[in-house]
Amino acid sequence: MSRPILILGAASDMARAVARSFAAEGHPIQLAARNVSRLAEDASDLRTRFGVEVTVHEFDALATDSHKAFVEALPTLPAVAVCAVGTMGTQSESEADPLAAAQVMRANFEGPASILAHLANAMEARGAGTLVGISSVAGDRGRASNYVYGSAKAGFTAFLSGLRNRLANKGVHVVTVLPGFVNTAMLDGIDTPAPLTAEPEEVGAAIVKAVKRNTNVIYTRPIWRLVMAVIRNIPEPVFKKTSI
Amino acid sequence: MKMLSGWGRFPKVECRVVRARTQEDVRQAVLEAPLIARGNGRAYGDAALNPGLTLDMTGMDRMRSFENGVLVAEAGVLLGDIIQAFLPRGWFPMVTPGTKLVSLGGAIAADVHGKNHHIDGSFRTCVDWIDLMGPDGTVTRTKQGDALFDWTLGGMGLTGVILRAQIRLRRVETSWIVQESVALTSLTDTIAAFEGAMDAPYSVAWINCSAGKTHGHSILLKGRHALPQDLPMDRTEFDLGRPGKTPVPFGLPFLFKGAALRTINSIYWRLQRRKAGRAVVDWDSYFYPLDGLANWNKLYGRHGFVQFQCALPKDTAEAGLAEIMEAIAASGQGSVLSVLKRLGSQSGPFSFPMEGYTLAMDFPTNKRSLALMERLDTITMAHKGRFYLAKDARMPKAVAQADPRAADFAAMRKQAGMAERFTSVQSRRLGL
Ligand SMILES: Cc1cc2nc3c(=O)[nH]c(=O)nc-3n(C[C@H](O)[C@H](O)[C@H](O)COP(=O)(O)OP(=O)(O)OC[C@H]3O[C@@H](n4cnc5c(N)ncnc54)[C@H](O)[C@@H]3O)c2cc1C
């Protein structure tokens, strides 16, 4: 296997694990994030561990007007592009300051949707490729504790679903990843129930598998599919009084 | 805050945990509060616990470069990752403990030993240099020959935070081990067999310490890396395999005492005797038989377990071991896996191994075994032995301080400003 895998938002714990999972299968890796200098050590890690070729690329998810040029400047159009861009923000800040909320929405929806749109068009023209969007179970229902982040993820999830629908006959597959709790920097200092908390490596392995099998939507861990089905189906009059 | 413990699940301590991903994260933590670094939590007791701040190093797990067997990697890289990456290319760790799930930082901090200590010495043999962050947040690259290097190997994280290191791996021609096992019926025979096996690259024995007819029975396992011509036709030279892990669903603490324990031990010996002889086994089951059983530490039930590991000098070893084994048999407590190992000459000034023998065994945490272990402390000290900090969870301070190196280490730490910066539940308990 020699076609490259592009990882967008490559500096996060989740992205590092995804990159390793693909590199372990022998794929060359393209790492993209803001301040590429931060990626140097991760790039050497992938080269040293797996003996694969790694390139690093400056990428700013919020600078949507640069996205077209970013895709054109890639040395090779990747076989698979994984978008791990996103930030939780702070709900209280997002509530107090709608401008801060807008930043969270842009980082979790607008930016990721924009870059995947450009990649989708390029892959569609080629007639092959896989796009992986890492969204969140938070997008399955808005909750008081993080609905700003959740609403952006809901938008991104819908975008991925529509994109998959559009490209279904064009040789391009779209995978939606809905992680629940993942033991990453985002959760540092937050205690989450162990059976519901995945390690980043699990998410990485699940994504590689989903890409191989053309799975449409994956929950990691799978128990989240059930948890979210329950949460989605709580009637609104009841739901609004809960604090889940 | 998070409830943390070592591998023995005793003691459990509420700790504030910060995860480092970069050198800058480490610096901030070091300047913020007194702390201890933590690797993969495979030390049995309280060496990697500090309530105020425990710095989780598993996020610093990048490999930096590899050339001709020389690896530069961050401290959080696991030995298992190193094997996964380089065994297919013909390289294996020079020294490895009985689990591959230890971090590079943890292997250095405990200066771990393996089944080849009698030939290759402890982990320090393969360490060229260490980047260590000191109490003021500056980084020193310390090498073989420096005093700081000597104190860091075996220093249990108390000299600073290990950021990265350069180590050398061993060339191997296959991923297989030629194993030869012998069943023996007494401690005396076992020691004689070890002495006769000094040229075997690897050696280790399982010995029955519990009472009964098979007390002192042992299985001695010798091993060497297989050459291509040792392999049966159907085996490829490098086969990493990825065996699944069998989880342990619940605790079975009653297995670890009295009649049940005696029965298990004697059945184990009979089974192994039947299999004795030469076999070509895969690297994972030879070096890491316990890793296949995820969370086997839960077997001992919710109170956890405590390991006792001592080393005895060669000339007092047989007498000392006999006394220790008798004390265990008399107590009815004991261990399914009592592991006996011939150690070679001491390679690091502050490390655990010394020329002689080391015996390691697990006990369920309870009053009787804690009392027994105090007996074992006394016997060990009477035979001029010493104790392994990586396994310790309960030693009294006086016992640790009976090793004259402890006071020197503490004085050095104080003078270098390390004592107020790097501290663990263990270091305070033992006055290190
Ligand atoms: C099944 C099993 C078998 C074992 N067999 C052996 C054996 O055969 N031989 C042997 O020698 N040991 C053996 N051990 C013990 C084990 O090798 C050591 O305890 C080792 O230190 C564990 O490494 P860790 O990464 O889990 O470290 P931890 O348990 O997290 O920490 C251990 C010590 O290392 C320090 N440390 C960890 N990382 C750093 C860092 N980055 N900088 C500074 N200090 C650090 C900690 O402060 C602590 O003092 C065994 C353990 C188990 C569970």
Side-chain angles (χ1 to χ4, degrees), chain A residues 13 16 41-42 45, chain B residues 21 61-64 89:
Chain A
D13 287 352
R16 280 173 59 192
E41 295 199 334
D42 290 321
D45 177 61
Chain B
R21 292 170 176 82
D61 66 342
R62 302 175 191 87
M63 299 188 191
R64 193 166 267 200
R89 301 180 222 175

Side-chain angles (χ1 to χ4, degrees), chain B residues 340-352:
Chain B
L340 184 64
K341 165 84 201 91
R342 173 72 158 91
L343 296 172
S345 59
Q346 168 140 9
S347 46
F350 194 54
S351 305
F352 162 72

